[in-house]
Amino acid sequence: SQQGEEDPQALSIQEGENATMNCSYKTSINNLQWYRQNSGRGLVHLILIRSNEREKHSGRLRVTLDTSKKSSSLLITASRAADTASYFCAPPQAGNMLTFGGGTRLMVKP
Amino acid sequence: DTGVSQNPRHKITKRGQNVTFRCDPISEHNRLYWYRQTLGQGPEFLTYFQNEAQLEKSRLLSDRFSAERPKGSFSTLEIQRTEQGDSAMYLCASSLVGTSSGELFFGEGSRLTVL
């Protein structure tokens, strides 16, 4: 089945640093979504990038998509302690159903 | 609040008991999804509905699990004869088919602990 695989599994940085997370997937997609999950909470949609887009920005987030390599990256600039969370990429399956990998657990130390 | 609502938020039960979780999606959303998440893992897809029709079920969904969405609005997920391995967070999400984003809106989850 199609699901994103995030890398690294865990990332620890200091406040103010940038955090980069990568995602790989297997089959062709029309779009790819990124979600964030704070500990013990539900997932929250961050950003969607379409297959005809190479890069997209939203506030401190920058997402890239390389369809030839079947990969995406999420960059969080000037990280804050509140960015501490797990981050998941979600390439859609048939019927727009989303499946999730193990995520990247980001810890931002104050 | 018009987000996705899940109840109960926490449930502790003894092995062998039945439990039922309820999900109220965003009112105009026609799709509803159930996921299960264990500690340190990503959400695993269980099943989804479009309106009242259950369109797909994961192989993870054993015959002890049943989900319904009788009127195409709220949904229930029942687990019969619970086992310790059922301990997890059960997440519900909803979406509106036809939107360009396909974004899922998640509830806060129902955490199940089976003793």
Side-chain angles (χ1 to χ4, degrees), chain A residues 34-107:
Chain A
W34 284 88
Y35 286 78
R36 182 188 74 216
Q37 185 180 33
N38 290 86
S39 181
R41 309 292 295 274
L43 280 73
V44 174
H45 179 265
L46 290 177
I47 195 167
L48 177 146
I49 186 165
R50 301 189 188 284
S51 58
N52 61 354
E53 298 174 309
R54 294 183 64 84
E55 188 171 310
K56 194 166 182 178
H57 296 252
S58 177
R60 295 184 295 110
L61 304 181
R62 189 188 85 163
V63 170
T64 63
L65 181 63
D66 187 335
T67 54
S68 66
K69 294 182 180 178
K70 293 186 172 58
S71 67
S72 175
S73 68
L74 171 66
L75 168 68
I76 304 174
T77 60
S79 63
R80 305 167 181 168
D83 295 327
T84 294
S86 292
Y87 292 82
F88 299 91
C89 68
Q93 294 198 78
N96 241 13
M97 191 180 70
L98 298 185
T99 56
F100 299 89
T104 292
R105 290 184 297 284
L106 173 65
M107 174 169 290

Side-chain angles (χ1 to χ4, degrees), chain A residues 31 33 35 37 40-46 48 50 86 88 93-103 105, chain B residues 9 31 33 35 37 40-45 48 56 89 91 99-109 111:
Chain A
N31 63 71
Q33 301 181 43
Y35 286 78
Q37 185 180 33
R41 309 292 295 274
L43 280 73
V44 174
H45 179 265
L46 290 177
L48 177 146
R50 301 189 188 284
S86 292
F88 299 91
Q93 294 198 78
N96 241 13
M97 191 180 70
L98 298 185
T99 56
F100 299 89
R105 290 184 297 284
Chain B
R9 292 290 315 278
R31 278 214 178 153
Y33 305 78
Y35 290 85
Q37 186 176 28
Q41 304 298 314
E44 298 173 301
F45 168 77
Y48 86 95
E56 187 154 347
M89 176 78 88
L91 293 164
T99 57
S100 58
S101 73
E103 175 184 348
L104 298 189
F105 294 79
F106 282 82
E108 296 287 37
R111 181 169 295 284

Side-chain angles (χ1 to χ4, degrees), chain A residues 2 25-30 67 70 92:
Chain A
Q2 170 83 299
Y25 57 92
K26 295 178 181 176
T27 63
S28 296
I29 57 172
N30 293 325
T67 54
K70 293 186 172 58

